[in-house]
Amino acid sequence: IRTIKFKYVKILTFVLFFSIYIISHVNKLSNQPQIGFHSIENWNGKKIRWTRHEANQTVDKTGQFLQFETAVFPYNIPKNGLELKILINNELFEKAIYYNAGWRKHLFYLPFEDGKINIKLVVSHTFIPYVEGLNSDIRSLGVAVSEFDFSDNLESESDIGF
């Protein structure tokens, strides 16, 4: 009986510390309401943050074009591919399937008025680096996301392809 009580104490302690860790990493990117993002990381001078299974953020729309990049690691891609849904104001704008690791650029034309919009990212699968034997990181990771960038014109014609 004593061993069982000790086991429960260990489990409850882990759950408590993990909950504190998660709560402490919410809202560190900006003062905009956001849920489901981990804190900012610096990847070669680029601000990146990982999503959880589902992440959303309310941002100020300051241009007609929204652009950002996402990246996946091979540990996060199941045999049938990793599905990423991108919703803006609860409308599905893109459903991407990743079969290989790497970066993908996303560009959306948003012809409606400037103001607050909600950007939501949903992935079909997450991974935990510790479980994969990569390092001591116990976070559940979806996709890596760059900053959301708005502009009123395209940087070049190569931004649009068919």
Side-chain angles (χ1 to χ4, degrees), residues 36-158:
F37 287 101
H38 292 288
S39 60
I40 298 172
E41 299 175 20
N42 187 328
W43 292 12
N44 297 323
K46 184 186 271 189
K47 291 181 181 178
I48 300 296
R49 59 197 169 144
W50 284 96
T51 68
R52 294 181 177 95
H53 168 69
E54 186 174 302
N56 68 70
Q57 181 176 1
T58 301
V59 297
D60 291 317
K61 179 184 171 288
T62 58
Q64 297 297 304
F65 294 96
L66 166 63
Q67 183 174 311
F68 62 96
E69 295 177 87
T70 56
V72 297
F73 277 36
Y75 314 100
N76 197 25
I77 304 173
K79 291 181 181 183
N80 60 342
L82 174 72
E83 180 181 276
L84 168 65
K85 292 180 185 174
I86 301 170
L87 297 94
I88 300 173
N89 291 340
N90 291 320
E91 182 181 336
L92 182 64
F93 267 63
E94 183 178 352
K95 181 178 173 181
I97 307 289
Y98 289 87
Y99 294 100
N100 299 303
W103 288 92
R104 186 175 288 181
K105 190 175 191 176
H106 305 276
L107 176 67
F108 302 108
Y109 175 59
L110 308 175
F112 44 89
E113 288 184 31
D114 287 356
K116 299 233 182 260
I117 63 168
N118 182 268
I119 301 169
K120 183 176 186 178
L121 307 170
V122 181
V123 294
S124 61
H125 186 263
T126 61
F127 77 104
I128 300 171
Y130 177 77
V131 172
E132 298 295 332
L134 301 174
N135 54 41
S136 61
D137 189 349
I138 60 170
R139 298 176 299 168
S140 179
L141 306 177
V143 295
V145 182
S146 69
E147 293 181 285
F148 299 126
D149 185 39
F150 291 94
S151 66
D152 280 321
N153 46 27
L154 297 175
E155 291 178 10
S156 71
E157 291 182 24
S158 66

